[in-house]
Amino acid sequence: MGPDALTLTRTFHFSAGHRLVSPAVSEEENRTLYGPCFRPHGHNYLLEVTVGGQPDPHTGMAADLNALESAVRRAVLDLVDHRNLDADVPALTGIITTGENLAQAFWGMLSQALPAGVLRRVAVVETANNTFEYCGERSDGDAE
Amino acid sequence: MGPDALTLTRTFHFSAGHRLVSPAVSEEENRTLYGPCFRPHGHNYLLEVTVGGQPDPHTGMAADLNALESAVRRAVLDLVDHRNLDADVPALTGIITTGENLAQAFWGMLSQALPAGVLRRVAVVETANNTFEYCGERSDGDAE
Amino acid sequence: MGPDALTLTRTFHFSAGHRLVSPAVSEEENRTLYGPCFRPHGHNYLLEVTVGGQPDPHTGMAADLNALESAVRRAVLDLVDHRNLDADVPALTGIITTGENLAQAFWGMLSQALPAGVLRRVAVVETANNTFEYCGERSDGDAE
Amino acid sequence: MGPDALTLTRTFHFSAGHRLVSPAVSEEENRTLYGPCFRPHGHNYLLEVTVGGQPDPHTGMAADLNALESAVRRAVLDLVDHRNLDADVPALTGIITTGENLAQAFWGMLSQALPAGVLRRVAVVETANNTFEYCGERSDGDAE
Amino acid sequence: MGPDALTLTRTFHFSAGHRLVSPAVSEEENRTLYGPCFRPHGHNYLLEVTVGGQPDPHTGMAADLNALESAVRRAVLDLVDHRNLDADVPALTGIITTGENLAQAFWGMLSQALPAGVLRRVAVVETANNTFEYCGERSDGDAE
Amino acid sequence: MGPDALTLTRTFHFSAGHRLVSPAVSEEENRTLYGPCFRPHGHNYLLEVTVGGQPDPHTGMAADLNALESAVRRAVLDLVDHRNLDADVPALTGIITTGENLAQAFWGMLSQALPAGVLRRVAVVETANNTFEYCGERSDGDAE
């Protein structure tokens, strides 16, 4: 059995404002590129965090859910919930806040906040019809 | 059988940014009053529109769904979808964009766009856990 | 406390094929009237059945859920599930199978199958965005 | 416009264990009466609380959501969440924990914890297919 | 980081009629094999389309959502939505319209309509309880 | 095309009571370790069972859904639905009933009940926010 056989996914909610603007192109081109998403708006986002591990035989748990909860809250939710993602989140400065970029940014923020090697997948659900998933390289915790 | 025996509810989606700020109180009091909702953020809103009527015996329909769809789109969705509700929607100028106020404002906008007397209920679902419903007085169409 | 203070709603699922065709108008007019719904298609329908009553002090139940379940199954679901509503359901013969007409037809079928006066509301959810509700007159069971 | 024109519904979650047992009948009769619900099991319940009111012109809010949240938490959720409803909830002693009885009991607990006359409806969603709603009499707050 | 690290899934809806019939066996055997699905019925299908890619540094997008949307609409939805899958969809001629076969057929239709090598997964959700997923071989776009 | 290209996921529901208690530690430590989950409570669980295979050209089905349904029912649901997982399910004796352990236990129970080599994934959804997935080694059916 490989180390990924068992995973646990926890879903979090946050509400945030954003718009899509590329500094590389003109306002006119931004309007064409992003359509209505160029206008300031917002979403009820879901953030799904998947971690892998073996259940501890003494507890039956592969991850300390309380520790996971507080790490995600501290590393991501406290920074983005009820914020304007483009203006009020220093960790996202200079990032176009597409779902793709958010998934990668949250992976980076979470992989530092969680024990090495446990993070498997980050999904950002922007609307019921659009989900962005990122499965980065595992950190060295796995290499041990 | 009363005229309300049969109703039809159609659900629409829009994504918008907003924040709660009362001009009547100080920034400090706003922060206390609205908590995180004082900060700019946003939502994937659902708008539920309920109309009543008798099915036309020739069509089996109590309302022309296409006409309903285009009235809601023209009267509300085109104005609010992918917008900042506080800055970019003239119809909401001067309104604190709570769910309560949005439900009442959308009722007003819809009751003018729909045939007299058909509107029964407007619901604004701000998040999966918060729904605001408004059932105003019927317009004079009913008085006939 | 009125007799309607307490209600119980049970949700059922069925999958059925249908199309909208009015015998009163030409094929061309049908196409205009119903748009894509004029073409044969189908849905995963939800049927919500609401009954009212007072909890029996000995059982804590306002309705016998098993009896309700089997009445709905026998009176409606067995007739419509995995059927073509327009061709294979005798109880719907001559009915244009709009959500409005289905809600009224199911009310009729259910009010005969359930104890007099308990039925409060029938809702037909055709898609996640379209719900049709019917609250007919109570049968004489209530008049006692 | 009547006092009920505007309502706000907030949804809460709790997970609890229970079983249905009537002290009025034998074990054999209980088994027949309740079927599998006679065996100890549990649910992820939803509790929907609807309150009515007029939006305060200074705040745009018909109810103080924080006060509502903490009243529901204190009056119901803290008592029932992650509990055995039949053994560990003094407020439910002697009550057969059907959805009907829970809806009525929660109405009683909430109408005392909330401002007089604001409570409109309590719904207990036991599973995705079974919802129990109670709309009791309004307390004297309305009589004023 | 491999090319699959980032994926984007977009969900589409369509309503269609169908039935399961195998030309290889008798009517009696079809009835046994498919049970109620042998009878004409229909579904609200979900079609989930997953594509992979790297976010473009200038736009933050791994795929042009508008192009994806119109490709899926043209290649699949326009052909199947509000249709009888067995009679009115030339692209499905000769195919038993099980979820398995639909997922494979849609993969084929989509892999031609989308840029080479971007399609990762097609899922057909027939009902809330039945999902069929297909992850075919990548087209030669990847082989470059 | 590998043997996993096509999968089918079927979702089942069961309601059960449980609590988390580790025999390895004191009551005080259990309370700290599991928090509210140490108290007897319960859930509406979802069980997702994913199987892989190639569609049979004569039937278009990769798995006999009826056989799958009855295998899952016999091997898991009949044992756990409307039960106390800690006291009334012999197959779970000695197991701390965390989602992790349930997913692994159900995998074991299902891999014996299903044809060799078809089981791909078992997911236990404890609440809308917590999902546990297990993808064990394939049984020898695949080794052929």
Side-chain angles (χ1 to χ4, degrees):
Chain A
M1 193 184 74
D4 278 3
L6 186 71
T7 60
L8 181 162
T9 299
R10 194 158 167 80
T11 302
F12 302 87
H13 304 69
F14 67 94
S15 294
H18 87 139
R19 66 183 300 196
L20 299 183
V21 191
S22 171
V25 301
S26 72
E27 180 168 331
E28 195 52 34
E29 288 167 305
N30 267 299
R31 212 180 298 275
T32 304
L33 183 60
Y34 297 117
C37 297
F38 175 60
R39 302 195 300 252
H41 61 284
H43 299 288
N44 299 325
Y45 287 92
L46 301 188
L47 169 63
E48 298 177 0
V49 178
T50 301
V51 297
Q54 299 279 15
D56 176 317
H58 291 304
T59 67
M61 296 192 293
D64 181 330
L65 269 182
N66 289 336
L68 174 61
E69 172 97 20
S70 68
V72 176
R73 213 157 281 287
R74 204 180 54 243
V76 179
L77 296 182
D78 286 350
L79 308 181
V80 298
D81 188 30
H82 282 78
R83 305 277 180 185
N84 178 336
L85 299 180
D86 303 313
D88 303 332
V89 184
L92 298 176
T93 299
I95 290 177
I96 304 171
T97 54
T98 56
E100 290 93 328
N101 280 349
L102 290 178
Q104 286 191 313
F106 294 162
W107 173 278
M109 292 149 84
L110 286 167
S111 60
Q112 288 179 12
L114 294 171
V118 305
L119 191 60
R120 292 292 179 274
R121 170 185 164 271
V122 166
V124 171
V125 184
E126 199 182 62
T127 70
N129 293 334
N130 284 315
T131 297
F132 303 87
E133 296 182 70
Y134 186 67
C135 304
E137 287 191 25
R138 298 206 197 154
S139 54
D140 41 33
D142 260 27
E144 293 163 23
Chain B
M1 191 185 74
D4 279 4
L6 187 71
T7 60
L8 179 162
T9 298
R10 194 159 165 81
T11 302
F12 302 87
H13 303 68
F14 67 95
S15 294
H18 86 138
R19 65 183 301 195
L20 299 183
V21 191
S22 170
V25 301
S26 72
E27 179 170 332
E28 194 52 32
E29 288 167 303
N30 267 299
R31 211 180 298 277
T32 303
L33 184 58
Y34 297 117
C37 298
F38 176 60
R39 302 195 299 251
H41 61 285
H43 299 290
N44 300 325
Y45 287 92
L46 302 187
L47 169 63
E48 298 177 1
V49 178
T50 301
V51 298
Q54 299 279 15
D56 177 316
H58 291 305
T59 66
M61 296 191 293
D64 180 330
L65 269 183
N66 289 335
L68 174 60
E69 173 96 18
S70 67
V72 176
R73 212 157 280 288
R74 203 180 55 242
V76 180
L77 296 183
D78 286 350
L79 309 181
V80 299
D81 188 30
H82 281 79
R83 304 278 181 186
N84 178 336
L85 300 180
D86 303 313
D88 303 333
V89 184
L92 299 176
T93 299
I95 290 177
I96 305 173
T97 54
T98 56
E100 290 93 330
N101 280 348
L102 290 178
Q104 287 192 313
F106 295 161
W107 174 279
M109 293 149 82
L110 286 166
S111 60
Q112 289 180 13
L114 294 171
V118 305
L119 190 60
R120 291 293 179 275
R121 169 185 165 270
V122 167
V124 172
V125 184
E126 198 182 63
T127 69
N129 294 333
N130 284 315
T131 297
F132 304 86
E133 296 182 69
Y134 185 68
C135 303
E137 286 191 26
R138 296 202 200 160
S139 54
D140 40 32
D142 260 26
E144 293 163 23
Chain C
M1 191 185 77
D4 279 3
L6 187 71
T7 60
L8 179 162
T9 298
R10 193 160 167 80
T11 303
F12 302 87
H13 304 69
F14 67 94
S15 294
H18 88 138
R19 65 185 299 198
L20 299 183
V21 191
S22 171
V25 301
S26 71
E27 179 169 331
E28 194 52 33
E29 289 168 304
N30 266 301
R31 211 181 297 277
T32 304
L33 184 58
Y34 297 118
C37 298
F38 176 60
R39 302 195 300 252
H41 61 285
H43 299 290
N44 301 324
Y45 288 92
L46 301 188
L47 169 62
E48 299 177 359
V49 179
T50 301
V51 298
Q54 299 279 14
D56 177 316
H58 291 305
T59 67
M61 296 191 293
D64 180 329
L65 269 183
N66 288 335
L68 174 61
E69 172 96 21
S70 67
V72 176
R73 213 157 280 287
R74 203 179 55 243
V76 180
L77 296 183
D78 287 349
L79 309 180
V80 298
D81 188 31
H82 281 80
R83 306 278 181 185
N84 178 335
L85 299 180
D86 303 312
D88 303 332
V89 184
L92 299 176
T93 299
I95 290 177
I96 305 173
T97 53
T98 55
E100 290 93 329
N101 280 348
L102 290 178
Q104 286 192 312
F106 294 161
W107 173 279
M109 293 149 83
L110 286 167
S111 61
Q112 289 180 11
L114 293 171
V118 305
L119 191 60
R120 291 294 179 273
R121 169 185 164 272
V122 166
V124 171
V125 184
E126 199 182 62
T127 69
N129 293 335
N130 285 315
T131 297
F132 303 86
E133 296 183 68
Y134 186 67
C135 304
E137 285 191 27
R138 296 202 199 160
S139 54
D140 42 32
D142 260 26
E144 293 163 24
Chain D
M1 192 185 74
D4 278 4
L6 187 71
T7 60
L8 179 163
T9 298
R10 194 160 165 80
T11 303
F12 302 87
H13 304 69
F14 68 93
S15 294
H18 88 137
R19 65 185 299 197
L20 298 183
V21 191
S22 170
V25 302
S26 72
E27 180 169 332
E28 194 53 33
E29 288 168 304
N30 267 300
R31 210 179 300 276
T32 303
L33 184 59
Y34 297 117
C37 297
F38 176 59
R39 301 194 300 250
H41 60 285
H43 298 290
N44 300 325
Y45 288 92
L46 301 188
L47 169 63
E48 298 177 0
V49 178
T50 301
V51 297
Q54 298 280 15
D56 177 316
H58 292 304
T59 67
M61 297 191 293
D64 180 329
L65 269 182
N66 288 335
L68 174 60
E69 172 97 19
S70 68
V72 176
R73 212 157 280 289
R74 203 181 53 244
V76 180
L77 296 182
D78 287 350
L79 308 181
V80 300
D81 188 31
H82 281 79
R83 305 279 180 185
N84 178 336
L85 299 181
D86 303 312
D88 303 333
V89 184
L92 299 175
T93 299
I95 291 177
I96 305 173
T97 53
T98 56
E100 290 93 330
N101 280 348
L102 291 179
Q104 287 193 313
F106 295 161
W107 173 278
M109 292 149 83
L110 286 167
S111 60
Q112 289 180 12
L114 294 170
V118 304
L119 191 61
R120 290 294 179 274
R121 170 184 163 272
V122 166
V124 171
V125 184
E126 199 182 63
T127 69
N129 294 334
N130 284 314
T131 296
F132 303 86
E133 296 183 69
Y134 186 69
C135 304
E137 287 189 26
R138 296 203 200 158
S139 53
D140 41 31
D142 260 26
E144 294 164 23
Chain E
M1 192 184 75
D4 278 5
L6 186 71
T7 61
L8 180 162
T9 297
R10 194 159 166 80
T11 302
F12 302 87
H13 303 69
F14 67 94
S15 295
H18 87 138
R19 66 184 300 197
L20 299 183
V21 191
S22 171
V25 301
S26 72
E27 179 170 331
E28 194 53 33
E29 289 168 305
N30 266 300
R31 211 180 298 277
T32 304
L33 184 58
Y34 297 117
C37 298
F38 176 59
R39 303 195 300 252
H41 61 285
H43 299 289
N44 300 325
Y45 288 92
L46 301 187
L47 169 62
E48 298 177 359
V49 178
T50 301
V51 297
Q54 300 279 15
D56 176 316
H58 291 304
T59 66
M61 297 191 293
D64 180 330
L65 269 183
N66 289 335
L68 174 60
E69 172 96 20
S70 68
V72 175
R73 213 157 280 286
R74 204 180 55 243
V76 179
L77 296 183
D78 286 349
L79 309 181
V80 299
D81 188 30
H82 281 78
R83 305 277 180 186
N84 177 336
L85 299 181
D86 303 313
D88 303 332
V89 185
L92 298 176
T93 299
I95 289 177
I96 305 172
T97 54
T98 56
E100 291 93 329
N101 280 349
L102 290 178
Q104 286 191 315
F106 294 161
W107 173 279
M109 293 149 83
L110 287 167
S111 61
Q112 288 179 13
L114 293 171
V118 305
L119 191 61
R120 292 292 179 273
R121 169 184 164 271
V122 166
V124 172
V125 183
E126 199 181 62
T127 70
N129 294 334
N130 285 315
T131 297
F132 303 87
E133 296 183 69
Y134 186 69
C135 304
E137 287 191 26
R138 298 204 198 157
S139 54
D140 41 33
D142 260 26
E144 293 163 23
Chain F
M1 192 184 74
D4 278 4
L6 187 71
T7 60
L8 180 163
T9 298
R10 195 160 165 79
T11 302
F12 302 87
H13 303 69
F14 68 94
S15 294
H18 87 139
R19 65 185 299 198
L20 299 182
V21 191
S22 170
V25 301
S26 71
E27 180 170 331
E28 194 53 33
E29 288 168 305
N30 267 300
R31 210 179 299 276
T32 304
L33 184 58
Y34 297 117
C37 298
F38 176 60
R39 302 195 300 251
H41 62 285
H43 299 289
N44 299 326
Y45 287 92
L46 301 187
L47 169 62
E48 299 177 0
V49 178
T50 302
V51 298
Q54 299 280 13
D56 176 317
H58 291 304
T59 66
M61 297 192 292
D64 180 330
L65 269 183
N66 288 335
L68 174 60
E69 172 95 20
S70 68
V72 175
R73 214 157 278 288
R74 204 179 54 243
V76 179
L77 295 183
D78 286 349
L79 308 181
V80 299
D81 188 31
H82 281 78
R83 306 278 180 184
N84 178 336
L85 299 180
D86 303 312
D88 303 333
V89 184
L92 298 176
T93 299
I95 290 177
I96 305 172
T97 53
T98 56
E100 290 94 328
N101 280 349
L102 291 178
Q104 287 192 312
F106 294 162
W107 172 279
M109 292 150 83
L110 286 167
S111 60
Q112 288 179 12
L114 293 170
V118 304
L119 190 61
R120 291 294 178 273
R121 169 184 164 273
V122 167
V124 172
V125 184
E126 199 182 62
T127 69
N129 294 334
N130 284 314
T131 297
F132 303 86
E133 296 183 69
Y134 186 68
C135 304
E137 288 191 24
R138 297 203 199 159
S139 54
D140 40 32
D142 259 27
E144 293 162 25

